[in-house]
Amino acid sequence: MSVEISVTGEVVTARLSGELDHHTAREMRSAIDSAIELNMPALLILDFGGISFMDSSGIGLVMGRYRILSKSGAELHITGASESIYKVMRLAGIERLASLEKNF
């Protein structure tokens, strides 16, 4: 599990890799939340391109970041989702909260 954070202007990008489950989600949330707090972005991009497995903790990670961002009016975009992750996110209704881009 790893999170690589980059900042360009008012855009924070978090590139996620490895498995996203209840064991790794806490560390990922912490890293992303720190970047949000430090940079106050207008846009957060969560890049799921490096995620090999995701359980419901991934949905919780997305929804929690959406709640934080919505307080300031910032947007959330999700990129790099594999076919299976994309399907799970669509079933969970994530498209109502964030821009969801598929990677297949």
Side-chain angles (χ1 to χ4, degrees), residues 48 54-55 59 78 80-95 100-104:
F48 279 76
M54 182 185 87
D55 67 10
I59 300 301
I78 298 167
S82 67
E83 186 172 7
S84 61
I85 291 173
Y86 180 83
K87 285 179 183 179
V88 169
M89 288 195 184
R90 287 207 52 203
L91 286 170
I94 295 299
E95 286 182 309
L100 179 58
E101 176 187 310
K102 52 188 168 183
N103 189 35
F104 54 93

Side-chain angles (χ1 to χ4, degrees), residues 19-91:
E19 295 187 356
L20 177 47
D21 57 24
H22 71 279
H23 297 292
T24 60
R26 183 180 307 149
E27 289 179 44
M28 288 185 178
R29 283 193 309 264
S30 179
I32 296 166
D33 290 352
S34 293
I36 292 170
E37 187 176 318
L38 286 172
N39 298 287
M40 301 300 290
L43 172 63
L44 172 65
I45 299 171
L46 296 178
D47 183 347
F48 279 76
I51 295 294
S52 57
F53 170 82
M54 182 185 87
D55 67 10
S56 62
S57 300
I59 300 301
L61 182 137
V62 171
M63 292 177 69
R65 291 343 90 211
Y66 170 78
R67 274 188 235 118
I68 292 169
L69 294 170
S70 66
K71 294 176 185 175
S72 65
E75 292 183 39
L76 176 60
H77 290 193
I78 298 167
T79 64
S82 67
E83 186 172 7
S84 61
I85 291 173
Y86 180 83
K87 285 179 183 179
V88 169
M89 288 195 184
R90 287 207 52 203
L91 286 170

